[in-house]
Amino acid sequence: MSRFPARAVVDLGAVRANARTLGDLAPTAQLMAVVKADAYGHGLLPVARAAVEGGATWLGVAQVSEALALRAGGVTARVLTWLYAPGAPLAEAVAADVDLSVAAPWALREVADAARAAGHAARIHVKVDTGLGRNGLTPDDLPAVVDEALRLEAQGVVRLVGIWSHLAFADEPGHPSLHAQGDLLRAAAADAEARGARFEVRHIAASASTLTDPELHLDLVRPGIALYGLTPVPQLGGPERFGLVPAMTVEAELANVKRLPAGHGVSYGHHYVTPRDTVLGVVPLGYADGVPRHASGQDGAPGAPLGVGGRRLAIAGRVCMDQVMVDLGPGATERAGDRVVLFGTGADGGPTAQGWADAAGTISYEIVTRLGARVPRVYVDGGREVPASGAERVAEGVA
Ligand SMILES: *Cc1c(COP(=O)(O)O)cnc(C)c1O
């Protein structure tokens, strides 16, 4: 058992239930659970397995290394990877039966070389930039790449299984660009089919459109943040509005508790000054652990929320590298070692990742994803602790 005085408790039962909820919301589409960036900080392999148990038939990752880590961990679901630069280990990915996105003409050439080196056909999804202005082929470049892919398909080098895109304004449901982008993808797919393509899946929806717009579900949906029980559209209400449960709780043990007189400055620069005799608590997590420095309490405004003994308090003063302070109040009975919740399910009014995002001027994605590597992840399922055997197995495989 780790002696680190804080941890992220990840509820795999919540991940499984969220996957089921998302599958029910998009009954005509296949479910791709997006587990890039170490499953948004929750832990790649345990989350991937729970998502598959919850009905995901696909897993989505940005980097090729993430796709290979899934295979090294024994995950057999379909995997799509979509972000790489020239020289990426694509032959390894093809050999590991990973689907590859093709977002540029050079990428198709490299995938074809990789497939020849691996000795079997590469499954590809052509990515179309329908308006986001990020990765993907412009609609102008698409026909030539589709024709070349079909030529390679006839030679048995690739299989053109998917066509896909990503939305610019998904977090603004009803924005006119959403259906315009959806229509462009449908038209691009129809044009490619007229040239001879036979797609298995057309896909454009991430969490926001999975939750709010069935017209964009197409053949497959790609939710990430919703799988973790957080919402990309907090303006519509909390995760419970969609039947989602936040999977991560970050908690710490108080490293010190002591009395301070009125008028005492707290933390670097004394941006908080005790308004009365009080009890100060020291929480052993800081910006090295992903606590945003923008969540400091300063200029009279409280910092990000903290739950202590059923009370809702806030960060007092500056966030430091390894610690933050909390004014526990004059009547506090806490002692060193008592539990502080930074964020969790929000049940009983407790603090949430969304509350942290609001305090730091960011989105909940960044709060969970930037949780530091130093913070141990502990897995629970149905209230019981489970070993993170997946992570260990990968570490052993690498050693
Ligand atoms: C990250 C990502 C997703 C998942 O987005 P969420 O908003 O977290 O659901 C889906 N598709 C692509 C291309 C992504 O980069």
Side-chain angles (χ1 to χ4, degrees), residues 32 34 36 40 62 82 127 132 134 164-166 170 204-208 210 222-228 232 365:
M32 174 186 287
V34 175
K36 61 190 179 186
Y40 292 41
W82 56 70
K127 178 147 199 197
L132 173 56
R134 202 172 74 175
W164 71 302
S165 192
H166 197 49
I204 196 166
S207 292
T210 304
R222 305 189 307 266
I225 197 73
L227 183 70
Y228 308 101
Y365 296 67

Side-chain angles (χ1 to χ4, degrees), residues 23 52 56 103 117 122 127 144 146 148 183 229 256 260-261 263 274 278 283 294 398:
V52 168
K127 178 147 199 197
V146 166
E148 177 62 9
D183 291 346
N256 203 354
L260 283 186
T274 54
T278 194
V283 181
H294 277 99
V398 167

Side-chain angles (χ1 to χ4, degrees), residues 120-141:
H120 77 92
R123 284 195 301 265
I124 61 173
H125 300 229
V126 281
K127 178 147 199 197
V128 193
D129 185 348
T130 55
L132 173 56
R134 202 172 74 175
N135 208 0
L137 293 149
T138 62
D140 285 351
D141 283 342

